[in-house]
């Protein structure tokens, strides 16, 4: 029975880790007034009739804090890349010089910063909910194990361990949010 408890705890920890990874990815897509190539991760370019991730048809670099440079591997892809960026509705306008595309990241207004902070807060709250649900699922599993012969003390210990894991991941979410909010609100 103790091995099953450990398996449930390990599985819970792994799932919570994935929730943190997803949150980190989502927070990376929220631009904070500085050029960040992650904002283009979801942009799909028509390449031979197939929607293809931008990173597979061009190199994306950040030459300075306010500019994202996109250098297509094929020059004839420039118009398709520009269309894809405009269609992604990122609030940025691509500018090309025939060789590469530059995106100037606009300075954020105070109101836009607050909106982005709200978006970050919502992403963090979604992750908190996911982590709480994973803790609940683990505790329900321990209750089932008790019915199958797990000692009550062992069940309580397992629930406490699940709570400690939960608390650690919630703390990590709070730290990620605090860092992102500071990043967004810093002018």
């Amino acid at each position: 029975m103790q091995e099953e408890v450990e398996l449930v705890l390990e599985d819970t920890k792994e799932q919570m880790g994935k929730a943190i990874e997803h949150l980190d990815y989502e927070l990376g897509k929220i631009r904070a007034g500085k050029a960040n190539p992650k904002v283009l991760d979801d942009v799909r370019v028509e390449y031979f009739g197939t929607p293809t991730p931008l990173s597979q048809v061009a190199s994306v670099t950040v030459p300075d804090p306010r500019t994202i440079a996109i250098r297509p591997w094929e020059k004839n892809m420039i118009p398709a890349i520009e269309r894809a960026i405009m269609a992604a509705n990122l609030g940025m306008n691509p500018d090309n010089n025939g060789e590469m595309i530059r995106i100037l990241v606009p300075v954020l207004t105070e109101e836009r910063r607050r909106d982005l902070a709200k978006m970050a807060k919502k992403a963090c709250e979604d992750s908190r909910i996911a982590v709480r649900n994973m803790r609940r699922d683990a505790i329900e599993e321990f209750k089932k194990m008790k019915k199958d012969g797990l000692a009550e003390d062992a069940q309580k210990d397992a629930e406490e361990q699940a709570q400690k894991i939960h608390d650690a991941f919630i703390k990590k979410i709070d730290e990620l949010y605090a860092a992102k909010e500071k990043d967004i609100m810093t002018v």
Side-chain angles (χ1 to χ4, degrees):
M1 275 293 181
Q2 191 58 35
E3 292 167 4
E4 291 176 34
V5 167
E6 293 300 323
L7 270 167
V8 170
L9 288 171
E10 281 303 312
D11 186 46
T12 301
K13 193 182 279 189
E14 187 178 319
Q15 287 179 345
M16 289 180 181
K18 287 179 183 173
I20 296 288
E21 285 175 25
H22 179 72
L23 173 64
D24 197 34
Y25 173 76
E26 289 298 318
L27 289 178
K29 291 193 307 188
I30 298 174
R31 65 187 179 94
K34 290 190 265 317
N36 183 349
K38 280 187 179 179
V39 299
L40 299 173
D41 281 354
D42 290 337
V43 174
R44 299 281 183 256
V45 180
E46 280 294 317
Y47 186 61
F48 292 110
T50 307
T52 308
L54 178 61
S55 61
Q56 292 181 11
V57 296
S59 68
V60 180
T61 58
V62 180
D64 65 65
R66 291 260 175 248
T67 309
I68 299 174
I70 303 163
R71 188 175 299 274
W73 292 314
E74 298 173 29
K75 290 204 186 348
N76 63 344
M77 288 301 296
I78 289 177
I81 292 172
E82 284 184 315
R83 277 193 303 274
I85 292 169
M86 295 300 281
N89 205 11
L90 301 171
M92 296 185 259
N93 292 321
D95 178 35
N96 88 66
N97 63 7
E99 293 266 323
M100 65 187 295
I101 298 170
R102 279 190 166 64
I103 299 175
L104 294 174
V105 178
V107 177
L108 296 175
T109 63
E110 185 65 30
E111 184 179 336
R112 183 68 180 140
R113 286 180 193 280
R114 281 196 291 272
D115 289 345
L116 291 173
K118 283 179 190 171
M119 287 170 59
K121 189 173 189 123
K122 183 184 179 334
C124 289
E125 188 53 39
D126 291 346
S127 292
R128 279 189 201 96
I129 290 168
V131 167
R132 284 194 293 262
N133 287 341
M134 290 169 205
R135 175 196 57 191
R136 185 197 64 223
D137 293 346
I139 289 173
E140 285 176 10
E141 194 65 35
F142 298 140
K143 287 179 181 173
K144 285 179 192 169
M145 286 181 186
K146 183 180 177 229
K147 288 179 183 172
D148 293 339
L150 182 67
E152 189 172 336
D153 287 349
Q155 177 208 355
K156 294 290 182 204
D157 288 347
E159 288 178 9
E160 284 176 21
Q161 285 179 296
Q163 182 65 41
K164 284 178 185 171
I165 293 169
H166 163 270
D167 293 345
F169 279 97
I170 292 292
K171 183 175 185 242
K172 179 73 174 153
I173 290 170
D174 292 342
E175 289 168 0
L176 285 171
Y177 173 67
K180 188 63 178 185
E181 183 183 40
K182 182 177 182 239
D183 193 29
I184 291 170
M185 294 313 235
T186 303
V187 180

